[in-house]
Amino acid sequence: MNFQNLLFSVEQGLATITINRPDKLNALNALTVQEIGKAVAAANADSSVKVIIITGAGEKSFVAGADISEFEGLSEQQAMTLAANGQEVFKSIEDSPKPVIAAVNGFALGGGCELAMACHLRIASDNSRFGQPEVKLGLIPAYGGTQRMTRLIGRTKSLELMITTDMINAQQALELGLLNYVVAQAELMNKCKEIAAKIMAQAPLAVAGVIACVNDYANGKDGFQSEVRVFGYCFTTEDNKEGVAAFKEKRAPAFKGK
Ligand code: COA
């Protein structure tokens, strides 16, 4: 699949989406956001893909925010459309039944931090920096950042970060619960692949079921009811029978995602 602002590859069950505007620190212009949505949809439609990684090109920046050069002269209505489009794409990441890992390789600011927060897991290089600098531009985070950051790290610190625009380093982000792991930049993709391999060994429909139930919690729905429904559904899958049989036979399961 060919994109103007992304690199997209599928290898051994892993789809890698690389935002590729390094001279603009991978800032998200409207086309890039649209392409991310298409790439995630393509990865979800490819039955060989089990896990998706999103990263940025180069060693300096994951994504340094929405592309500020596209903000000039927007009307209220155009700005609302921009936010709604961004939210739709980021929600498609959050709702992806295949786990999406953000491999944060540098600045994750504004829409970049929001993109990382829409992913299911976040692994960052030790040079990464996180922040929501929008209010400095007279704006607010509007690709879901006010909601997802609050859910992830709580009101106390998310409010502070969003209204002071303070940037935090990877270690601070880890301590706040924004990240799963921090590793040296040279180790970033290896660490992501190691986590992806663990996920790929599990039953894909059950993995998707966990994501759906956790998302229901995050979206204020009755996740307990979802658990009952998804648990029941699991018993209709071949993978559940295979998992139980493999346990009894003391062998590794061979899941088919059916
Ligand atoms: N939108 C558009 N272009 C951006 C951008 C953004 N969010 N972030 C960086 N760029 C561009 C710069 O304009 C510059 O382009 P140029 O070489 O054509 O002038 C290029 O990327 C390199 O950025 P530069 O600012 O020179 O790098 P730096 O190392 O001095 O600073 C940052 C890095 C991340 C601190 C700084 O680029 C920055 O503050 N970016 C904006 C962050 C932001 O406010 N994001 C939220 C947007 S809502």
Side-chain angles (χ1 to χ4, degrees):
M1 211 166 180
N2 281 330
F3 296 100
Q4 193 173 312
N5 294 334
L6 306 180
L7 305 173
F8 182 76
S9 66
V10 176
E11 208 182 320
Q12 294 181 331
L14 193 62
T16 304
I17 298 167
T18 306
I19 298 156
N20 191 30
R21 301 181 76 212
D23 54 328
K24 296 291 175 197
L25 303 187
N26 303 318
L28 298 177
N29 58 8
L31 176 64
T32 308
V33 171
Q34 197 184 86
E35 289 189 342
I36 292 171
K38 285 187 180 160
V40 170
N44 271 311
D46 181 339
S47 61
S48 76
V49 172
K50 303 282 180 273
V51 177
I52 303 164
I53 290 180
I54 300 182
T55 192
E59 297 198 336
K60 185 170 174 182
S61 181
F62 172 66
V63 168
D67 191 322
I68 297 168
S69 69
E70 289 187 347
F71 286 170
E72 267 175 78
L74 286 190
S75 68
E76 182 177 357
Q77 196 53 51
Q78 286 169 323
M80 285 171 68
T81 302
L82 185 75
N85 289 344
Q87 284 194 11
E88 190 181 328
V89 169
F90 285 17
K91 177 123 177 52
S92 78
I93 294 170
E94 186 172 71
D95 289 343
S96 165
K98 301 181 184 183
V100 185
I101 302 175
V104 181
N105 57 309
F107 286 116
L109 302 176
C113 190
E114 292 176 294
L115 174 61
M117 291 191 295
C119 296
H120 302 113
L121 302 175
R122 283 161 290 284
I123 324 280
S125 58
D126 52 11
N127 67 323
S128 296
R129 311 257 281 157
F130 296 80
Q132 297 290 162
E134 286 87 349
V135 297
K136 208 181 284 180
L137 299 164
L139 301 170
I140 65 163
Y143 289 173
T146 62
Q147 306 304 297
R148 292 196 178 96
M149 184 176 275
T150 308
R151 286 175 195 156
L152 285 170
I153 66 171
R155 276 166 55 103
T156 306
K157 280 312 241 186
S158 62
L159 269 169
E160 180 187 335
L161 292 179
M162 286 187 274
I163 65 179
T164 63
T165 75
D166 280 350
M167 254 194 243
I168 55 171
N169 63 31
Q171 195 54 41
Q172 290 169 307
L174 181 71
E175 284 160 17
L176 284 174
L178 199 59
L179 300 176
N180 295 88
Y181 296 97
V182 176
V183 295
Q185 185 145 55
E187 283 307 309
L188 180 61
M189 290 317 278
N190 284 343
K191 183 69 183 176
C192 291
K193 285 178 186 170
E194 178 192 314
I195 307 269
K198 285 189 197 179
I199 299 167
M200 284 186 211
Q202 316 308 327
L205 295 173
V207 168
V210 169
I211 291 173
C213 290
V214 172
N215 283 357
D216 281 351
Y217 162 77
N219 293 316
K221 294 190 191 151
D222 185 347
F224 289 100
Q225 274 307 315
S226 309
E227 270 188 10
V228 169
R229 182 176 40 77
V230 174
F231 187 70
Y233 166 70
C234 288
F235 280 80
T236 70
T237 66
E238 287 180 29
D239 282 352
N240 166 242
K241 292 173 186 63
E242 167 62 8
V244 173
F247 174 77
K248 282 163 73 179
E249 291 159 22
K250 299 188 187 302
R251 61 173 173 82
F255 293 122
K256 293 184 185 144
K258 290 184 183 165

